[in-house]
């Protein structure tokens, strides 16, 4: 029976809790509705309270009555929330502050506090992948909103004079700074009780979001620039928080950037299209370079590849491998130029060329042209490529333990990769909902994991080669194996299994997520079929190698395992260097001949080839028996 000490498996338990809480949250529609309504209410109080009270005195009885009613309703509704004690306390604080006629500068922070609590309790917002063209949105606004809010959003429409309270003036920048886009969306979707604002339920979700973004942009129309999205800020953050809250939450954010993103939200939606993200970051890099900000330019160039192009290259490689290689080469050259001064003309020309190539890739990978066979192939390759190395490491550990008659220790290896699967999925969920993991961070994680695995596997290969002599192995068994496998080595095996699998899982999930954004909903079956086919191939390979490797005599088994371990070390050291180069932690010196053999970790850079050459030389020394590397007759 498979049993593990509870203390040792606490990480597994925590990961399971996180995973199933994600499943629960994804289906908690009632909770989402309640928290969203409360968020809208809190924001409405924060934005409109200044029209009700000033200097401790009521200046508008109707507005103040509404504030009192809403604050009491917030207390009532927060008490109905599951795990909403913090929200109840914030709502009670808000109700008391309103009753005491506190000034707006006291009320607003409390409403922000309440909204932040509610955001944590609410599932992620469902957003469209893109907005409607501006002309279509303006037509929707005129048809549905202008009668009350006015043709220009000034709150002076034909019906405005007959309404109480009066319609919102969307040109009021002070109010707009305290109004979130999700608040506008919920008002459009559900209406606002006690006002003339009715639910525009006849509009579809994309139309309602487009109207919300448009209404939220009116106060910022003077800002026409194309902003760069600050590192760590997701589109979820942007729509869920008011501009003032965003400015407090992100110290690197300024008023100009917020205004530009409200006026032109295109950069926010670029993150849903990896190739659009690549273009955006390249253009931002070029802009920084021209301003003499070379370090910033280099960081943006790195982001253009890791946060953009890399997530689409699997699909593009299945469709046009040559174009994929050309773009990769252009982006690498662009990045190298950003580290040099006085290359303005070259960088500008390369930017134009690379954007043109990315445009070609976008045309190829559009939902209209991306075929089912391309999606199937891309899905198949992703899992095979990412899963093969991890499978071989786990397989090698399992076969060694079985061959050495320590089947009882196999469960530790299985525990390692099972926890890695769960932790990888949990990390992806956290990256989508709690924290931001950049492409550079992802590559550092992968690079360090590959480096650790390469070193460990090389050592294991060296150790196994020293035991190919049957007498030496028997002596080692008698003297060491049982003692060592009971004093820490078992959890070391679990750790190696964990590292080998975890470094692949998170990136695999991101690749599949990117592939889904490049397909139509009707093509999901092609992606799923590719995934299942790859999983079956990996399972069959695992079974075949296990079955036949265990039949080998002890000397042949250890000889085979030595070659496997050293080969995996060779592959992983190359991939580790490549990942750390992509994360800009190791310099890149291009080899005179351009070639790539990604399946075995060979890339045309001096740094990667030098690391693999070192592994190759040491492996040869081990295999030909040169001391202290070669085979010894005693354990």
């Amino acid at each position: 029976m498979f049993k593990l000490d509870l203390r040792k498996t606490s990480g597994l338990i925590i990961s399971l809790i996180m995973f199933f809480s994600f499943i629960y949250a994804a289906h908690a529609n009632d909770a989402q509705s309640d928290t969203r309504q409360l968020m809208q209410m809190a924001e409405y109080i924060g934005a409109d309270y200044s029209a009700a009270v000033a200097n401790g005195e009521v200046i508008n009885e109707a507005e103040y009555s509404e504030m009192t009613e809403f604050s009491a309703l917030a207390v009532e509704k927060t008490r109905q929330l599951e795990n909403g004690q913090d929200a109840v306390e914030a709502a009670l604080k808000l109700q008391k502050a309103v009753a005491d006629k506190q000034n707006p500068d006291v009320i607003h922070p409390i409403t922000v506090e309440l909204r932040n609590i509610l955001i944590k309790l609410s599932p992620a917002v469902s957003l469209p992948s893109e907005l409607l063209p501006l002309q279509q949105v303006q037509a929707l606004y005129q048809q549905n909103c202008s009668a009350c809010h006015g043709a220009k959003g000034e709150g002076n429409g034909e019906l405005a004079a007959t309404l109480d309270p009066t319609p919102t003036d969307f040109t009021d920048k002070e109010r707009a700074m305290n109004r979130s886009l999700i608040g506008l969306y919920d008002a459009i979707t559900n209406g606002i009780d006690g006002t003339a604002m009715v639910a525009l339920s006849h509009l579809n979700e994309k139309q309602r979001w487009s109207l919300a973004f448009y209404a939220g942009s009116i106060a910022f129309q003077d800002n026409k620039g194309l902003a760069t999205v600050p590192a760590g800020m997701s589109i979820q953050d942007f729509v869920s928080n008011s501009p003032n809250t965003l400015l407090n939450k992100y110290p690197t954010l300024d008023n100009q950037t917020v205004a530009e993103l409200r006026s032109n939200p295109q950069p926010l939606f670029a993150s849903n299209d990896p190739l659009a993200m690549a273009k955006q970051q390249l253009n931002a890099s070029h802009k920084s370079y021209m301003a003499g900000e070379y370090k910033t330019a280099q960081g943006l160039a790195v982001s253009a590849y890791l946060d953009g192009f890399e997530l689409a290259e699997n699909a593009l490689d299945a469709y046009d491998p040559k174009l994929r290689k050309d773009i990769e080469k252009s982006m690498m050259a662009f990045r190298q130029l950003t580290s040099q001064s006085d290359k303005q003309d070259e960088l500008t020309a390369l930017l134009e060329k690379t954007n043109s190539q990315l445009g070609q890739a976008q045309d190829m990978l559009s939902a209209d042209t991306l075929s089912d066979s391309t999606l199937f192939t891309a899905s198949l390759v992703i899992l095979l490529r990412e899963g093969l190395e991890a499978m071989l490491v786990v397989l090698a550990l399992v076969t060694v333990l079985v061959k050495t008659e320590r089947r009882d220790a196999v469960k530790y290896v299985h525990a390692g990769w099972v926890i890695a699967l769960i932790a990888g999925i949990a990390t992806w969920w956290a990256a989508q909902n709690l924290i931001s993991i950049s492409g550079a961070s992802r590559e550092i994680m992968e690079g360090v994991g590959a480096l650790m695995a390469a070193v460990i596997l090389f050592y294991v290969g060296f150790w196994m080669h020293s035991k190919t002599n049957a007498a030496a192995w028997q002596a080692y068994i008698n003297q060491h194996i049982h003692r060592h496998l009971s004093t820490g080595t078992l959890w070391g095996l679990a750790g190696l299994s964990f590292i080998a699998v975890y470094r692949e899982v998170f990136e695999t999930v991101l690749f599949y997520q990117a592939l889904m954004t490049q397909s139509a909903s009707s093509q999901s079956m092609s992606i799923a079929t590719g995934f299942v086919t790859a999983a079956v191939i990996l399972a069959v390979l695992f079974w075949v190698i296990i079955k036949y490797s265990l039949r080998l005599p002890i000397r042949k088994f250890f000889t085979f395992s030595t070659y496997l371990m050293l080969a995996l070390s060779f592959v992983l050291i190359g991939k580790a260097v490549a990942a750390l180069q992509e994360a800009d932690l190791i310099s890149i010196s291009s080899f005179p001949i351009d070639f790539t053999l990604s399946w075995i970790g060979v890339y045309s850079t001096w740094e990667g080839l030098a690391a693999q050459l070192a592994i190759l030389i040491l492996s040869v020394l081990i295999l030909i028996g040169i001391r202290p590397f070669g085979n010894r007759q005693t354990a």
Side-chain angles (χ1 to χ4, degrees):
M1 191 175 199
F2 184 59
K3 294 181 180 179
L4 292 176
D5 182 76
L6 183 59
R7 180 176 60 84
K8 298 286 189 180
T9 55
S10 58
L12 172 60
I13 295 170
I14 293 171
S15 297
L16 281 169
I17 292 171
M18 290 178 67
F19 178 71
F20 286 112
S21 68
F22 165 66
I23 298 296
Y24 172 81
H27 296 283
N29 294 325
D30 292 339
Q32 182 182 34
S33 176
D34 290 343
T35 53
R36 290 273 287 276
Q37 187 179 35
L38 279 164
M39 285 164 60
Q40 183 184 6
M41 198 178 299
E43 183 174 273
Y44 190 77
I45 294 171
D48 283 12
Y49 185 81
S50 59
V53 175
N55 299 319
E57 299 290 335
V58 176
I59 59 175
N60 186 314
E61 286 290 349
E63 287 283 356
Y64 182 68
S65 175
E66 191 174 49
M67 297 297 106
T68 303
E69 179 186 351
F70 279 178
S71 62
L73 193 57
V75 173
E76 178 186 337
K77 286 188 171 293
T78 52
R79 283 176 171 156
Q80 298 171 10
L81 295 178
E82 187 176 352
N83 300 320
Q85 185 56 41
D86 290 342
V88 172
E89 292 176 6
L92 287 169
K93 188 194 304 184
L94 177 62
Q95 184 184 36
K96 185 177 186 305
V98 171
D100 292 344
K101 302 181 181 64
Q102 295 285 354
N103 285 336
D105 60 350
V106 174
I107 297 292
H108 184 256
I110 302 174
T111 62
V112 171
E113 177 189 356
L114 177 56
R115 287 192 81 255
N116 287 338
I117 294 169
L118 294 169
I119 287 172
K120 292 179 182 178
L121 294 174
S122 179
V125 179
S126 174
L127 290 164
S129 59
E130 60 182 359
L131 300 177
L132 293 172
L134 181 59
Q135 288 184 336
Q136 291 184 31
V137 184
Q138 288 173 332
L140 278 176
Y141 177 85
Q142 295 303 323
Q143 294 165 11
N144 296 276
C145 312
S146 62
C148 297
H149 294 283
K152 296 182 178 180
E154 296 172 340
N156 59 354
E158 297 173 2
L159 304 177
T162 65
L163 302 177
D164 184 22
T166 57
T168 297
D169 177 1
F170 292 128
T171 65
D172 182 349
K173 192 166 185 178
E174 182 179 352
R175 188 181 189 283
M177 290 295 289
N178 292 313
R179 201 78 164 98
S180 70
L181 293 173
I182 194 175
L184 292 169
Y185 172 80
D186 285 338
I188 292 168
T189 301
N190 305 312
I192 300 177
D193 293 338
T195 75
M197 180 65 204
V198 297
L200 302 183
S201 54
H202 61 287
L203 301 179
N204 62 38
E205 186 177 57
K206 188 173 184 178
Q207 289 174 321
R208 297 197 302 272
W209 271 116
S210 298
L211 267 181
F213 272 86
Y214 178 73
S217 74
I218 293 175
F220 305 94
Q221 288 301 317
D222 292 338
N223 304 89
K224 296 295 185 182
L226 187 66
T228 299
V229 180
M233 189 181 79
S234 67
I235 189 171
Q236 294 279 344
D237 286 333
F238 190 80
V239 301
S240 298
N241 295 286
S242 69
N244 278 332
T245 303
L246 289 170
L247 290 169
N248 290 327
K249 188 174 181 180
Y250 296 95
T252 60
L253 195 61
D254 56 36
N255 283 284
Q256 180 68 21
T257 302
V258 169
E260 289 177 351
L261 288 172
R262 273 293 187 102
S263 176
N264 183 2
Q266 178 187 348
L268 292 162
F269 287 90
S271 60
N272 290 326
D273 180 351
L275 297 177
M277 170 65 79
K279 279 185 174 181
Q280 175 193 304
Q281 297 299 77
L282 283 177
N283 291 330
S285 174
H286 179 261
K287 182 178 178 181
S288 295
Y289 184 90
M290 291 304 187
E293 300 169 356
Y294 301 125
K295 192 68 178 175
T296 301
Q298 191 170 9
L300 288 167
V302 171
S303 175
Y305 181 82
L306 297 180
D307 297 314
F309 179 69
E310 187 181 37
L311 298 178
E313 64 179 356
N314 287 295
L316 183 59
D317 201 45
Y319 202 87
D320 190 338
K322 183 180 183 303
L323 181 58
R324 192 270 300 169
K325 291 177 182 177
D326 289 343
I327 295 175
E328 202 170 57
K329 191 185 303 181
S330 295
M331 295 187 77
M332 189 65 68
F334 187 96
R335 172 179 154 187
Q336 290 177 312
L337 282 178
T338 58
S339 63
Q340 307 171 43
S341 59
D342 301 324
K343 298 288 185 180
Q344 289 86 348
D345 292 341
E346 292 178 54
L347 195 70
T348 300
L350 187 55
L351 175 68
E352 184 177 345
K353 174 185 175 182
T354 308
N355 276 336
S356 175
Q357 291 172 328
L358 289 168
Q360 293 178 47
Q362 282 179 302
D363 291 340
M364 282 187 183
L365 298 184
S366 67
D368 293 334
T369 59
L370 195 60
S371 66
D372 289 339
S373 61
T374 301
L375 287 170
F376 171 84
T377 303
S379 177
L380 178 76
V381 169
I382 288 172
L383 189 58
L384 279 180
R385 189 182 71 180
E386 302 297 327
L388 190 59
E389 295 162 14
M391 185 204 75
L392 288 174
V393 174
V394 172
L395 183 147
L397 295 175
V398 169
T399 53
V400 168
L401 289 171
V402 172
K403 196 70 175 178
T404 56
E405 299 180 2
R406 287 305 308 265
R407 290 178 181 270
D408 59 304
V410 171
K411 62 188 178 185
Y412 289 88
V413 177
H414 290 319
W417 70 259
V418 169
I419 293 172
L421 283 176
I422 296 169
I425 294 171
T427 305
W428 169 77
W429 173 80
Q432 302 300 308
N433 297 278
L434 303 178
I435 58 175
S436 177
I437 298 180
S438 67
S441 300
R442 186 183 72 242
E443 292 299 322
I444 290 171
M445 179 176 68
E446 181 179 355
V448 171
L451 187 61
M452 292 172 60
V455 171
I456 295 171
L457 287 170
F458 183 84
Y459 172 77
V460 172
F462 165 72
W463 175 82
M464 294 185 75
H465 183 67
S466 70
K467 303 296 176 289
T468 53
N469 179 275
W473 172 245
Q474 192 58 51
Y476 184 82
I477 287 289
N478 293 334
Q479 297 174 23
H480 300 288
I481 192 70
H482 293 288
R483 175 170 58 85
H484 282 306
L485 288 183
S486 62
T487 58
T489 303
L490 293 174
W491 285 107
L493 294 173
L496 180 55
S497 175
F498 176 89
I499 291 170
V501 175
Y502 179 77
R503 62 177 288 269
E504 306 291 352
V505 174
F506 180 55
E507 190 166 42
T508 300
V509 172
L510 287 182
F511 283 150
Y512 274 102
Q513 184 184 38
L515 195 62
M516 291 293 290
T517 66
Q518 298 160 39
S519 64
S521 57
S522 60
Q523 295 178 299
S524 299
M525 184 57 68
S526 298
I527 297 174
T529 305
F531 179 92
V532 171
T533 303
V536 170
I537 292 172
L538 290 174
V540 170
L541 282 174
F542 190 92
W543 179 81
V544 169
I545 296 175
I546 283 267
K547 180 178 177 65
Y548 290 100
S549 63
L550 292 179
R551 293 182 179 180
L552 295 173
I554 191 69
R555 181 180 179 84
K556 289 184 178 180
F557 171 78
F558 276 99
T559 299
F560 167 77
S561 298
T562 297
Y563 283 115
L564 177 61
M565 296 292 186
L566 295 180
L568 286 172
S569 179
F570 176 87
V571 172
L572 289 172
I573 198 70
K575 295 203 169 189
V577 172
L580 295 175
Q581 284 177 321
E582 289 178 354
D584 203 26
L585 289 185
I586 295 179
S587 62
I588 299 174
S589 302
S590 298
F591 198 69
I593 303 173
D594 183 30
F595 60 90
T596 298
L597 301 171
S598 59
W599 283 85
I600 58 173
V602 176
Y603 303 90
S604 55
T605 69
W606 283 105
E607 293 83 358
L609 292 173
Q612 289 187 309
L613 181 62
I615 291 289
L616 191 60
I617 291 172
L618 290 174
S619 298
V620 170
L621 292 176
I622 289 172
L623 295 174
I624 65 176
I626 296 179
R627 294 176 178 272
F629 304 100
N631 188 10
R632 297 184 179 182
Q633 297 301 311
T634 60

